[in-house]
Amino acid sequence: MDLIRGLNLLSEYEYQALILSIKVSLFAVAWLIPIGISLAWLLAKKQFMGKSIIDSLIHLPLVLPPVVIGYLLLVMMGRKGIVGEWIYDTFGISFAFNWKGAVIASVVVALPLMVRAVRLSFESVDSKLEQAASTLGASSLKVFFTITLPLTLPGIITGTMLAFARSLGEFGATISFVSNIPGETQTIPLAMYTFIETPGSELEAMRLCAISIVIALGSLLISEWMSRQCARRLGEKR
């Protein structure tokens, strides 16, 4: 990133949008990994009342307009929101109109992709291996961390990279929840929107478009390579 800045490939305005996008995406992924794995395991391995409702709620962001998601986040997590007011009064943390809110928006819209990829991996694990480990005296936690989790690693990698790429491209929920504030909430998609709306800024919009494509494509290629490496190593161990 410093190389890009040093070579003056981007203006300070564009550079801030790029750094903020990567920052938001990385923080979103950090939250999505434990949340996504937990929910995927719950949906794949457990049967309980209300499972279909939870599954539908997790996947709801895939079919809802992003602006609706942003509005709901504002109502729930805003300074005067149902939950946001309590968080602000208790911890002094505000999510609306700052980058932390952009992280929450990215987590919500990327969660279905993360859960779906990991859940498919959990469902593909041979339950006989887990039963055999339990029969030999391994605890449930040991079975999970030594058998189940390693076998689902390719799915976790895929889900993580998809979530990262989705977070990088989030627009509707972000602009509705945290607005378009340069240096604070303006990610690459929001900066592109500003350039598109500004006459004579087509070149800047094109540069950010190219950067988005490169980062997203790179994430998917890395995901594919890492998944293949994990699958190959698991095959060798077997």
Side-chain angles (χ1 to χ4, degrees):
M1 296 303 169
D2 289 336
L3 177 61
I4 294 176
R5 193 173 193 174
L7 293 175
N8 293 322
L9 297 178
L10 299 175
S11 67
E12 185 65 25
Y13 185 84
E14 296 167 312
Y15 182 78
Q16 287 181 355
L18 172 61
I19 293 301
L20 183 61
S21 291
I22 294 174
K23 176 182 177 180
V24 167
S25 298
L26 289 176
F27 271 89
V29 165
W31 282 100
L32 281 166
I33 290 174
I35 295 172
I37 291 175
S38 300
L39 290 174
W41 177 84
L42 189 67
L43 294 174
K45 298 294 185 179
K46 299 296 180 181
Q47 296 296 328
F48 54 90
M49 185 178 297
K51 179 178 177 179
S52 297
I53 296 175
I54 293 176
D55 191 16
S56 298
L57 288 174
I58 290 171
H59 289 85
L60 193 59
L62 289 177
V63 294
L64 277 178
V67 175
V68 173
I69 297 172
Y71 173 73
L72 292 175
L73 286 174
L74 190 60
V75 171
M76 292 292 294
M77 304 298 293
R79 180 74 67 87
K80 297 297 181 180
I82 299 170
V83 179
E85 185 174 12
W86 176 81
I87 293 176
Y88 181 74
D89 292 340
T90 306
F91 303 103
I93 299 174
S94 176
F95 294 104
F97 308 112
N98 66 61
W99 69 272
K100 300 181 187 70
V103 172
I104 293 179
S106 295
V107 168
V108 172
V109 298
L111 182 62
L113 298 176
M114 182 75 181
V115 170
R116 188 165 185 80
V118 180
R119 181 182 179 179
L120 291 173
S121 288
F122 275 127
E123 291 175 344
S124 67
V125 174
D126 190 350
S127 59
K128 293 180 181 179
L129 295 174
E130 297 171 318
Q131 293 169 3
S134 298
T135 302
L136 293 173
S139 64
S140 298
L141 280 177
K142 188 173 183 180
V143 171
F144 178 79
F145 284 106
T146 61
I147 302 295
T148 310
L149 196 60
L151 291 175
T152 59
L153 193 56
I156 293 172
I157 292 171
T158 299
T160 299
M161 291 302 182
L162 285 174
F164 177 82
R166 180 65 184 85
S167 298
L168 194 71
E170 169 49 34
F171 175 80
T174 301
I175 198 171
S176 302
F177 182 33
V178 298
S179 190
N180 184 7
I181 306 171
E184 181 62 39
T185 66
Q186 191 176 71
T187 56
I188 288 178
L190 273 61
M192 282 187 61
Y193 173 77
T194 301
F195 284 133
I196 292 171
E197 292 292 302
T198 304
S201 299
E202 293 80 7
L203 181 60
E204 289 84 352
M206 184 64 69
R207 280 202 299 261
L208 290 180
C209 176
I211 290 172
S212 297
I213 293 172
V214 169
I215 295 176
L217 184 59
S219 300
L220 295 176
L221 290 174
I222 291 171
S223 168
E224 181 68 20
W225 178 80
M226 292 179 69
S227 296
R228 288 185 179 182
Q229 291 297 312
C230 288
R232 181 176 62 81
R233 291 180 181 180
L234 288 173
E236 290 175 354
K237 289 181 179 180
R238 292 179 183 177

